[in-house]
Amino acid sequence: MEKRWRICVVVLLILVVAVLLGPQATVAQAPGQRIQLEFWYALGRPLGDTLERIIADFNASQNRYLVKGTYKGGYADTMVAAIAAYRAGAAPHIVQVYEVGTATMIAAREAIKPVHELMRQAGISFDPSIYIPAVRWYYSSSDGKMLAMPFNSSTAILWYNKDAFRKAGLDPNKPPRTWAELRAAAQRIRATNAAPCGFTTAWPTWTQFEQFSAIHDVPFATKMNGFEGLDAELKINSPLHVRHVQTLIDMLKEGTFKYGGRGSTADGLFPSGECAMITGSSALLGRVRREAKFEWGVTYLPYYDDVKGAPKNSIIGGAALWAMTAPRRTAEEYRGVAEFFKFLSGANVDAFWHMETGYLPLTFMGIERAKALGYYQKNPGMEIPYKQLTRTIPTPNTRGLRLGYLPEIRTVIEEEIEKAFQGQQTAKQALDNAVRRGNEILRRFERDVKGG
Amino acid sequence: MRRRAIFDNKGLPYLLLLPQLVIVGIFFYWPAVQSISLSLLRQTAFGFGVRFAGLQNFLELLHDPYYLFSFRTTILFSVAVVAVAMSLGLLLAVMADSPIRGTGVYKTLLMWPYAIAPAVAAALWLFLFHPSIGIIGRMLNAYGIRWDYMLNGSHALLLVILAAAWKQVSYNFIFFLAGLQSIPKSLLEAAEVDGAGAMQRFWRILFPLLSPTTFFLLAVNMIFAFFETFGVIHALTKGGPAKATETLVYKVYVDGVINLDLGRSSAQSVILLIIVGIGTMIQFRYLERRVYYL
């Protein structure tokens, strides 16, 4: 009898503790009079720390709103978390979404509040033309209304190892401008064994197809790369694209190009000294500064100089901030989000973020501020990314991409070129397959968005 | 003598079962029902444009050559992982069971890998086999073997098999060792007196008597290879190159979390659910009959 009684008590105790502990965590977060704004972001350390400093500055700058930043894991995790939260009626006020998620966010209808609408309703004047056109267009509707708040943007550039260039007898201050020059430099580097690998690329689809198409002013997809309609089709099997993949295959065969894997996995090959050149994100800066034990330089992305009009401006990557809706969210809360966005677009914050992290300055004022602080004199080469972005006025091919299920399309392209690199298919076959499979994905997105 | 359970109160057993039932309900039945319903719908990630699609998701999958390829990859991968992990586990257990100096140290060392998280295990293998930063990877290339799992599908598959099996070897080792230790030494001694050699003793006595353990491990390893190798694949190859290491579970993740295609992803989990159901049934129906229990 006594035993049973004891068991009952233990079970009850566990239940009581469980009930008490559960809600306590949520009760604890309702202090004072300030309106709390949830901000989910996807930047780990050290970038996340820099972002937290900006949030703290905003919270200190006024006393109506309190932005609470939460690290939600990588970009894919953060996006999935925000979507699940939205479906449960508890979306965060602000979420950071990577550039490939843009089309999905736009298709999210009432789940998001476009920035132009947010600002208008809050009565805050907001001029999108303060942004660099390549940044502004990427996150605008086709008629130029800003939908998301640009935040951490990067672009692709060519990083090169000056020590390896010297060792190979190349001029370290004359980096290759074209693909022919890049290949010749890589051959020289291999012939003199100045580095174990001449050239590699991070983010293969982003650098070799998305950026490549922009700077050569050729379409990645029809319908203005998807800006003008859901019925866009991929155009990456053009003769120029085939020629480029063939160049990469040839370089792979002669041992001057090394394929470093998908996404950012090839990043490490440059700072380790393994590869003397890499086409990668401008935001690789932090890692290169920390890890590279050699003198390095950056320059513009290589191009084919016989292509008319090349080189044009490159496009951006990275992420933007989206205002999300939820049931019972008040106008005052949206106003707080608008105030926070306005704060972020200020020249000081923009320049601070740029100089601390290596992400791009997004506004012309931000660039001026960084210049005034002498950043580009102290850090030669760091003006290359924004100069490359602003070197021409965006054409319909260089505004960016607006394609649904883009993460899936990126993977498809990488899969097909990997097969070509393994010699299982030709460059033309790889790109034809990528276009066919990519178009199936685009049709699925079109069908899903239009619903039934 | 049959003793009645100590509970004469009818409610108490249910109360005691409650926490477990709640956990199973929330973390198993509820998601399972959700994925079945999602698998019959098409919708955007945010849940707009929901429309009933019937079996469209399933039909598209079964006509997708890449999905069928993923089946093949999964079977190849699972069989290889189970075979490597179980035979190595058994070999090591038999060796550690014999009276040698320092068995305690060996046993402890052999159990270690099991305590390592899959992602960390993958990182260790990466530092060994990465073609440019891995010690063994560099060595292979120096000897003229063009090892590059970033680009060569077979190399990639081999690497994830090794990394996944390595993690499971310890687990198998522990169970086989426990199984071996529970076999009465008198049986072995009697066989030895009768003139049975070492191989004969192993195949005629140890192996049959170990069959309950082997059977249990077969089931557990199969489930491990199917479902718990996600971390290893994610950290090492992300399913590539091309789709060489994309197993069914990895594909569920890619389509659901990265590509945000819930219908397609759910349809795949439902198919997995069916496969596991059938597999478990076969194992208990047919394999168990051939098992000797002491």
Side-chain angles (χ1 to χ4, degrees):
Chain A
M1 260 330 257
E2 201 190 326
K3 224 181 215 168
R4 196 183 71 190
W5 192 78
R6 263 192 215 161
I7 292 172
C8 278
V9 169
V10 170
V11 169
L12 269 176
L13 261 177
I14 291 171
L15 286 177
V16 167
V17 168
V19 167
L20 284 182
L21 279 183
Q24 206 149 43
T26 46
V27 170
Q29 46 169 255
Q33 302 297 316
R34 295 176 92 177
I35 293 161
Q36 290 241 353
L37 305 172
E38 288 285 332
F39 173 19
W40 291 0
Y41 61 81
L43 298 170
R45 306 198 127 189
L47 295 172
D49 294 340
T50 313
L51 177 54
E52 285 290 353
R53 271 167 66 191
I54 293 176
I55 294 173
D57 285 348
F58 172 73
N59 288 337
S61 74
Q62 42 74 46
N63 53 20
R64 279 185 70 77
Y65 310 104
L66 192 69
V67 174
K68 192 167 149 282
T70 310
Y71 172 58
K72 279 280 168 182
Y75 282 127
D77 300 325
T78 304
M79 190 162 171
V80 167
I83 289 172
Y86 174 78
R87 295 179 75 134
H93 295 80
I94 307 162
V95 63
Q96 183 186 26
V97 174
Y98 52 176
E99 85 281 37
V100 286
T102 306
T104 301
M105 294 305 286
I106 291 172
R109 304 186 207 173
E110 65 263 29
I112 55 147
K113 201 175 253 296
V115 166
H116 67 92
E117 198 181 307
L118 181 82
M119 294 296 186
R120 186 167 37 87
Q121 287 173 0
I124 294 174
S125 70
F126 180 73
D127 178 12
S129 66
I130 61 171
Y131 287 97
I132 293 175
V135 172
R136 177 187 168 190
W137 281 110
Y138 203 102
Y139 296 110
S140 292
S141 58
S142 52
D143 57 350
K145 286 182 178 147
M146 260 189 138
L147 303 171
M149 191 69 193
F151 182 59
N152 55 321
S153 295
S154 54
T155 192
I157 49 173
L158 180 71
W159 296 80
Y160 68 102
N161 180 335
K162 288 190 173 176
D163 288 355
F165 267 56
R166 266 186 215 107
K167 228 168 127 188
L170 296 160
D171 184 349
N173 295 316
K174 269 185 73 185
R177 287 178 316 115
T178 64
W179 279 103
E181 288 177 21
L182 182 139
R183 188 169 173 183
Q187 282 165 344
R188 188 70 186 267
I189 286 160
R190 285 305 301 126
T192 53
N193 211 10
C197 142
F199 165 72
T200 189
T201 183
W203 302 102
T205 306
W206 185 56
T207 58
Q208 306 306 316
F209 290 91
E210 298 173 30
Q211 301 287 356
F212 178 86
S213 303
I215 61 173
H216 291 93
D217 200 14
V218 294
F220 184 89
T222 58
K223 294 275 163 179
M224 226 176 107
N225 288 341
F227 274 80
E228 289 186 333
L230 291 167
D231 52 342
E233 291 189 344
L234 296 187
K235 295 290 279 178
I236 51 161
N237 53 353
S238 77
L240 181 64
H241 290 104
V242 174
R243 170 184 171 191
H244 183 52
V245 172
Q246 191 57 51
T247 304
L248 293 176
I249 293 174
D250 293 344
M251 289 181 70
L252 193 74
K253 276 195 194 135
E254 69 188 19
T256 52
F257 165 57
K258 184 184 189 103
Y259 181 72
R262 299 177 196 175
S264 61
T265 43
D267 275 356
L269 294 176
F270 180 71
S272 71
E274 171 93 8
C275 291
M277 292 178 279
I278 185 173
T279 45
S281 168
S282 56
L284 191 57
L285 178 69
R287 183 160 178 190
V288 173
R289 269 186 188 157
R290 210 167 46 239
E291 294 174 14
K293 304 257 186 315
F294 51 82
E295 199 194 334
W296 48 268
V298 293
T299 187
Y300 301 98
L301 284 177
Y303 61 99
Y304 291 97
D305 52 358
D306 53 347
V307 174
K308 245 178 100 181
K312 287 275 185 284
N313 66 287
S314 61
I315 57 176
I316 58 167
L321 308 183
W322 293 80
M324 292 189 77
T325 64
R328 286 190 300 283
R329 187 155 287 171
T330 63
E332 192 55 31
E333 286 172 84
Y334 289 120
R335 206 187 141 76
V337 174
E339 293 279 4
F340 181 58
F341 281 1
K342 178 83 181 170
F343 177 81
L344 291 181
S345 71
N348 280 332
V349 175
D350 190 24
F352 169 75
W353 178 248
H354 162 53
M355 294 185 297
E356 283 287 310
T357 63
Y359 279 110
L360 289 164
L362 305 176
T363 63
F364 290 110
M365 308 255 285
I367 295 174
E368 291 309 318
R369 184 60 48 91
K371 268 186 199 160
L373 293 169
Y375 179 69
Y376 303 113
Q377 265 138 31
K378 276 176 254 160
N379 299 278
M382 284 306 107
E383 73 285 3
I384 299 271
Y386 87 76
K387 281 192 172 163
Q388 180 177 267
L389 265 186
T390 51
R391 66 182 163 193
T392 50
I393 295 160
T395 74
N397 293 324
T398 68
R399 282 186 176 189
L401 303 181
R402 183 64 48 79
L403 300 171
Y405 295 145
L406 189 52
E408 198 172 351
I409 294 172
R410 273 194 180 167
T411 310
V412 160
I413 295 171
E414 278 158 12
E415 282 169 5
E416 293 298 340
I417 58 168
E418 279 166 0
K419 273 192 205 157
F421 289 163
Q422 291 173 56
Q424 293 173 11
Q425 58 186 1
T426 66
K428 175 86 174 110
Q429 284 166 340
L431 296 184
D432 285 344
N433 282 339
V435 166
R436 181 180 48 76
R437 290 175 61 195
N439 285 342
E440 282 167 17
I441 294 165
L442 288 173
R443 292 297 74 75
R444 205 166 69 227
F445 184 75
E446 187 182 3
R447 228 169 42 224
D448 288 348
V449 169
K450 285 185 176 159
Chain B
M1 188 188 82
R2 273 180 59 110
R3 257 196 69 185
R4 260 184 59 81
I6 52 167
F7 310 115
D8 39 25
N9 181 333
K10 281 237 165 69
L12 187 59
Y14 294 103
L15 187 65
L16 293 177
L17 275 176
L18 191 68
Q20 181 65 25
L21 287 178
V22 168
I23 288 172
V24 171
I26 293 178
F27 292 103
F28 183 74
Y29 286 105
W30 187 60
V33 170
Q34 285 270 314
S35 39
I36 291 173
S37 75
L38 282 174
S39 72
L40 301 173
L41 304 172
R42 293 287 320 164
Q43 56 182 300
T44 63
F46 281 86
F48 299 117
V50 181
R51 70 188 159 86
F52 184 71
L55 295 176
Q56 186 197 351
N57 286 321
F58 293 93
L59 290 177
E60 273 179 15
L61 276 177
L62 296 178
H63 285 109
D64 180 358
Y66 297 97
Y67 188 63
L68 301 177
F69 182 77
S70 171
F71 251 102
R72 207 198 63 128
T73 308
T74 310
I75 291 168
L76 199 68
F77 173 78
S78 309
V79 169
V81 168
V82 172
V84 172
M86 287 188 62
S87 48
L88 271 183
L90 181 58
L91 181 72
L92 291 171
V94 170
M95 283 160 76
D97 194 36
S98 52
I100 41 170
R101 199 180 302 178
T103 16
V105 179
Y106 290 128
K107 284 177 195 167
T108 314
L109 287 179
L110 283 168
M111 287 173 197
W112 246 355
Y114 190 64
I116 297 174
V120 178
L124 295 176
W125 282 83
L126 193 138
F127 281 121
L128 287 176
F129 281 97
H130 191 285
S132 42
I133 57 169
I135 299 166
I136 299 176
R138 288 185 86 108
M139 215 165 69
L140 286 173
N141 279 305
Y143 284 111
I145 301 164
R146 291 190 63 123
W147 168 266
D148 187 355
Y149 72 86
M150 298 280 190
L151 209 50
N152 186 316
S154 324
H155 291 175
L157 194 57
L158 186 68
L159 182 64
V160 288
I161 288 171
L162 284 177
W166 176 74
K167 245 199 77 54
Q168 197 62 4
V169 164
S170 316
Y171 185 83
N172 296 341
F173 168 76
I174 297 167
F175 276 84
F176 275 131
L177 190 65
L180 285 172
Q181 284 171 347
S182 69
I183 293 171
K185 292 281 172 283
S186 54
L187 284 174
L188 292 170
E189 281 157 13
E192 207 171 347
V193 170
D194 286 345
M199 288 307 270
Q200 268 180 318
R201 268 175 307 181
F202 176 79
W203 287 114
R204 296 285 173 82
I205 297 174
L206 287 182
F207 195 67
L209 286 177
L210 269 179
S211 57
T213 312
T214 312
F215 171 67
F216 165 77
L217 285 178
L218 191 65
V220 170
N221 277 272
M222 230 27 208
I223 290 170
F224 167 81
F226 249 74
F227 294 103
E228 283 166 51
T229 47
F230 173 84
V232 171
I233 296 176
H234 191 56
L236 276 176
T237 62
K238 296 203 172 17
K243 282 180 179 289
T245 53
E246 192 172 87
T247 58
L248 291 170
V249 167
Y250 199 78
K251 197 166 162 51
V252 170
Y253 163 78
V254 170
D255 280 339
V257 176
I258 307 285
N259 300 338
L260 294 170
D261 189 338
L262 295 180
R264 206 177 162 80
S265 176
S266 305
Q268 291 174 38
S269 357
V270 172
I271 293 176
L272 274 176
L273 198 73
I274 295 169
I275 294 175
V276 173
I278 295 173
T280 316
M281 220 171 68
I282 292 175
Q283 264 174 336
F284 282 91
R285 273 272 169 88
Y286 300 102
L287 283 179
E288 199 173 23
R289 286 194 194 150
R290 311 183 50 146
V291 168
Y292 301 85
Y293 288 101
L294 264 181

